[in-house]
Amino acid sequence: MPRIITKILFFALYLTLLASCNTLKYVPDNENLLKKNSIYVNDKKKSESELNDFLVQRPNQSTLGIPLSLHFYNFGNPDFEKTFEEWMINHPKKYKSYKNLFSKKQTLVVFNTKKGFNNWFINKGQAPVIYNEKKTKKSVKSLKDYYISKGFFEAKADFINHQFKEKQVTIDYKIITNQQYYIDSITTEIESPILDSIYQLNKDQSIIKRGNPFVFSDFENEENRLVSLFRNSGIYHYKKNSMKFWTDSLKQSYNKDIILKIPNRIVNNNDSVYKIPYKVQKVKQINVYTDFSIKNRGEKIKDSVKYKGYNFYSYGKLKYKPKFLVNSLFITPNGDYKDSERNTTRSHLRKLKSFSSSIDINYIENEDESLTADIFLKPLKKFALSFDLDATTSNIKPFGILGKASLLGRNMFKGSEILELAFQGSFLNVSNDASNSSQFFNAWEFISSASLKFHRIVFPVSTSSLIPKYMAPSTNVDISVSFQKNIGLDRQTITGGLAYSWKSSKKTGHRIDFLNLQYIKNQNIDNYFRIYNSEYEKLNDVSIEITGNELPENTVENYNVILTEMTDFLAENDNQNNYPEEYDKVSDVNERHDILTEDIMVPVIAYSFVYNSRKNIKDNNFSYFTAKFVSSGGLTNALVKDRNEDGQKVLFDVPIAQYIKTEFEYKKYWELRKDNILVFRTFVGAAMPYGNSTTIPFSRSYSAGGSNEIRAWRTFDLGPGAERNTLEYNVSTFKLVTNLEYRFRMTNKIFSALFVDAGNIWDITDSNLVSEEAKLKSFSSLKNIAVGSGFGIRYDFGFLVFRFDIGFKTYEPYLLSDNKWFVNYNFGNAVYNIGINYPF
């Protein structure tokens, strides 16, 4: 405990020193740094709130009370010379000393480097906010206008500035609201009968009601509601600003009467201006131009088809089947005009990814007052080819060069289908010492994948009554094949899947993996003990303990010899009685060997549900929930009859994995204030083998740790439970993780985060491969939840976020000592994580 106290004191001292840095470095003489704003409403101080948004001038952004962005700016020099010649004139002595050491060209390089660093600090930091009385008066007016907009028509506002310290001021904003005004009655004067009828049918949904405060934004929202209501009820000509709300300003009362006035439509015809009532108009004709471009504008149509009330035109041969394209059209033939139908049509057409995102939908009024809708589609190129070259590294692949070629095909079967083909090849060096290899690249990997997306449900019977087209249904068919040479166990993997997805609302989505098949075959199990060296070490320890002799050297050539030593030891019955601990250790190694070298067939059927309340990319107050239910091998085992020598059912001579699995994840985001976000996340998952299987396939098991969850441990390093082992890859069948992260801005592009991660994995199958400490027996097993905490730095490039997080081991359930808190809470035992974008 004294160690952690020392660290806390050191961190506090660091913050104190940072806070004591000269914040006034670039504050001019006779000027003041704006230190703080305080807002008092009716003599009561308001905490951080929406009122701050109305202040024109705010102090430098601070974190934990420290203006880090200002300190960052102060590292630079805003008066740094703009040119090398200017620098030479201003610094003759320094230039002379540089000239004695470097050539003029080298000195120029030094100058440009210093200038680059200086500009980086200036651009990424924040200049000191200098107090400006004019801006303060604008803030006073903004605050007063805000309260007037909330119905406090007699509100008063003022300010007082205080000299806080030398060259620093604080501002107190004083607001007296006085009495708030309310709505007494609401009447209407709507000249067009059809508008009045629509209003009366929907007046219960009105935002302005008797007894409500007189709030300006409510009137704006009510106008928007009515505009949307009318324009989605066939009133094509109704425009915004065609209505007015009136009130009697002479009435001496805090309760106001409201009159909603909507005059008839104003028509400008030649030199005449007159009024006519609004009418409901129908869309009589819908024309879809499937290959429109600026070049063919005005040319003659060469191909056309009429289908279900839609007219499809092409300037060449029609390349889209109308029966599929109509699934993305929501404007109803001979139906009332609706804004929502135009917007939905545009949205669904963009999702096809076959046309340019600039989709024009125009309406023309016919002589009989009906409407014609013209939809102009600009096709994208049918094929797109891309290439990528990258370097890769991992614990099994120390270094490699990766090349990838991708082909994107659009409208493959005239139904806007999207085909994606990818070919990826890697040349790798997997030697511990590259100098011992005759060739630097001594391993390779090849992956080929294909996916085909249909923007509809492809099924033998129609599903349109259950999943209508407005739910944006789609069918995805995927297949991939991978081959390895001299990588791990040289695993060959074939995966294929058929999945259906749709959105039942803006917030909820569904996905059914009707069939997801994975075939795994290990071609080089002789490499097992080299990859899992800790397993070899356990066997070697037992051999030394019992025979006094070491096992043969851990090489590929000696794999069978080592394996025979292991199986012979287990086959000798007396060993279990004479060496029970050693026997259990070897037995565990043997079972893990069988699991990790197992060839397996994983046929999965799954259902996923997603709820996401996020309105748009700028929305930072939302919830996210997903649930997934998986069944593997149930149907396949019922259909397959062949069995292997162990009694397991097999397909293509490979055992069929049989298990059930369920997962839940919940995330909640709170925007505490601008650029300050608190994120909570929790994940729980469980997998249980049955029938044809006694274990979960390694690729479908749970691991703990890594840069996206429990960051104080590397992937596979944590768990199961409180078990302390030296396995390279720790996996299990139950997982629980909870994260809490506070994200905040430090400077213009640099963000930071403080986080706490908690979780672990456990065994729920009662396997004899793990100790009692690794099993989830009851709620008491949750005492073995590991806790990590730390901080991170994130740099926002705009198109991605570079992330560097440091995780400290805060609570380690596997430690043998009674004290498990903060034992290894230091930089030496910390885990340094690099990632792209946010972890969750």
Side-chain angles (χ1 to χ4, degrees), residues 58 117 197 229 274 277 384 526 537 610 636 655 678 694 715 767 778 813:
R58 281 168 275 183
F117 276 111
S197 176
L229 175 64
Y274 54 91
D526 293 354
E537 293 296 338
V610 175
T636 309
L678 183 66
T694 58
T715 307
S767 170
S778 63

Side-chain angles (χ1 to χ4, degrees), residues 85-131:
E85 290 72 17
E86 185 181 351
W87 179 81
M88 286 190 299
I89 295 171
N90 293 341
H91 303 278
K93 292 183 179 180
K94 191 175 289 188
Y95 172 64
K96 187 176 181 180
S97 63
Y98 280 8
K99 191 175 180 182
N100 294 332
L101 295 173
F102 310 110
S103 67
K104 185 175 181 179
K105 187 176 181 180
Q106 290 172 327
T107 305
L108 178 60
V109 171
V110 173
F111 166 78
N112 286 331
T113 302
K114 291 179 67 176
K115 180 182 176 182
F117 276 111
N118 180 81
N119 291 346
W120 190 78
F121 281 114
I122 294 297
N123 293 333
K124 305 310 176 188
Q126 184 184 20
V129 177
I130 306 301
Y131 169 68

Side-chain angles (χ1 to χ4, degrees), residues 568-578 583:
D568 288 349
F569 178 82
L570 294 174
E572 182 60 52
N573 292 330
D574 291 340
N575 285 338
Q576 188 171 9
N577 297 323
N578 296 334
Y583 187 90

Side-chain angles (χ1 to χ4, degrees), residues 264-278:
N264 281 332
R265 175 188 165 204
I266 298 175
V267 178
N268 291 297
N269 188 6
N270 296 325
D271 294 330
S272 302
V273 178
Y274 54 91
K275 290 184 178 181
I276 61 172
Y278 287 97

